[in-house]
Amino acid sequence: AQTVTQSQPEMSVQEAETVTLSCTYDTSESDYYLFWYKQPPSRQMILVIRQEAYKQQNATENRFSVNFQKAAKSFSLKISDSQLGDAAMYFCAYRSGYGNKLVFGAGTILRVKS
Amino acid sequence: DAGITQSPRHKVTETGTPVTLRCHQTENHRYMYWYRQDPGHGLRLIHYSYGVKDTDKGEVSDGYSVSRSKTEDFLLTLESATSSQTSVYFCAISEHETDNSPLHFGNGTRLTVT
């Protein structure tokens, strides 16, 4: 079974600075998709960014980008120019290309200091 | 936002009582999921459905059952609630099975079993 590990329970960043959240995963599959979700205090689950394993180019969405290292099975999220609204729980998730279920990591709480 | 409504939003119940949580979607998506969120565990899949009357177990299905009699509704039932089932429950939907389509989540139901 696939597993997703987020080794940082909590992270802090100063407003306007850059922070990187770590995620590693374990799989024997070659076809899969990776996601980062954001969960603010409202409890809503918001998709931040997604990456297809077959794509070598790292995904980017405005201030959010990923560093996808397929051989190392690593999928980190970089948030640039951090804003107070970025404070949330962030979840890394894996989806097999052969099935539809999403497997989540335990989450990282991100605190943004003003 | 995807049209997903979970009800109730909050519920407090006593040990041993049956509880049913409802998920209603207006997107006509084929795939629906129930997850539970607990500190230190992220979101874990309870059950999922790939069509009307087609359901399967996830990794934490013990003590839960589901039903899907219509495309738009996916019910999660705790036959006899226990304190270990105190959690936040999320419903999610997906249009496709094996691509980078993200799961869209409802706003969750906080269930407390006393």
Side-chain angles (χ1 to χ4, degrees):
Chain A
Q2 294 81 24
T3 58
V4 178
T5 302
Q6 294 180 248
S7 59
Q8 306 153 317
E10 288 191 29
M11 291 284 285
S12 290
V13 63
Q14 199 71 32
E15 200 174 4
E17 295 192 345
T18 296
V19 64
T20 298
L21 308 184
S22 301
C23 173
T24 59
Y25 55 95
D26 184 25
T27 185
S28 58
E29 298 175 338
S30 58
D31 184 19
Y32 54 87
Y33 306 90
L34 297 164
F35 304 84
W36 279 98
Y37 280 87
K38 170 185 177 181
Q39 186 182 45
S42 67
R43 216 162 68 195
Q44 188 180 4
M45 291 287 287
I46 303 165
L47 177 69
V48 174
I49 198 164
R50 74 187 93 174
Q51 174 81 41
E52 296 84 352
Y54 60 83
K55 289 187 178 179
Q56 292 187 339
Q57 186 173 5
N58 289 325
T60 298
E61 289 285 345
N62 300 315
R63 296 183 295 108
F64 298 87
S65 61
V66 298
N67 183 5
F68 174 47
Q69 301 289 327
K70 191 171 183 178
K73 297 179 183 176
S74 172
F75 183 59
S76 60
L77 175 70
K78 186 172 83 170
I79 306 174
S80 303
D81 185 25
S82 296
Q83 301 175 1
L84 294 177
D86 295 333
M89 174 80 87
Y90 285 82
F91 292 101
C92 178
Y94 171 102
R95 184 181 199 178
S96 169
Y98 308 99
N100 53 16
K101 301 178 287 295
L102 211 55
V103 178
F104 286 85
T108 297
I109 297 172
L110 177 66
R111 305 190 193 282
V112 181
K113 304 175 189 175
S114 58
Chain B
D1 289 344
I4 309 169
T5 304
Q6 287 187 236
S7 58
R9 180 93 167 133
H10 304 275
K11 185 170 182 65
V12 179
T13 191
E14 293 184 349
T15 299
T17 60
V19 177
T20 295
L21 307 183
R22 180 178 185 242
C23 178
H24 178 78
Q25 61 145 328
T26 57
E27 305 295 320
N28 201 36
H29 285 351
R30 178 178 176 187
Y31 301 94
M32 298 186 75
Y33 312 81
W34 277 108
Y35 283 87
R36 61 177 287 175
Q37 181 179 2
D38 304 288
H41 292 278
L43 280 77
R44 293 179 291 173
L45 183 65
I46 305 171
H47 281 281
Y48 64 100
S49 171
Y50 41 92
V52 174
K53 298 186 179 178
D54 288 326
T55 64
D56 207 347
K57 296 179 180 180
E59 64 174 307
V60 290
S61 59
D62 287 348
Y64 302 95
S65 62
V66 290
S67 65
R68 192 169 178 199
S69 58
K70 297 185 289 185
T71 298
E72 58 266 34
D73 291 326
F74 193 32
L75 304 181
L76 177 70
T77 297
L78 291 66
E79 300 292 346
S80 177
T82 68
S83 58
S84 65
Q85 293 176 312
T86 292
S87 187
V88 178
Y89 291 85
F90 283 95
C91 173
I93 65 174
S94 176
E95 186 173 10
H96 301 294
E97 181 178 17
T98 57
D99 63 12
N100 68 346
S101 300
L103 266 62
H104 299 284
F105 288 83
N107 288 330
T109 294
R110 181 176 295 279
L111 176 67
T112 302
V113 183
T114 61

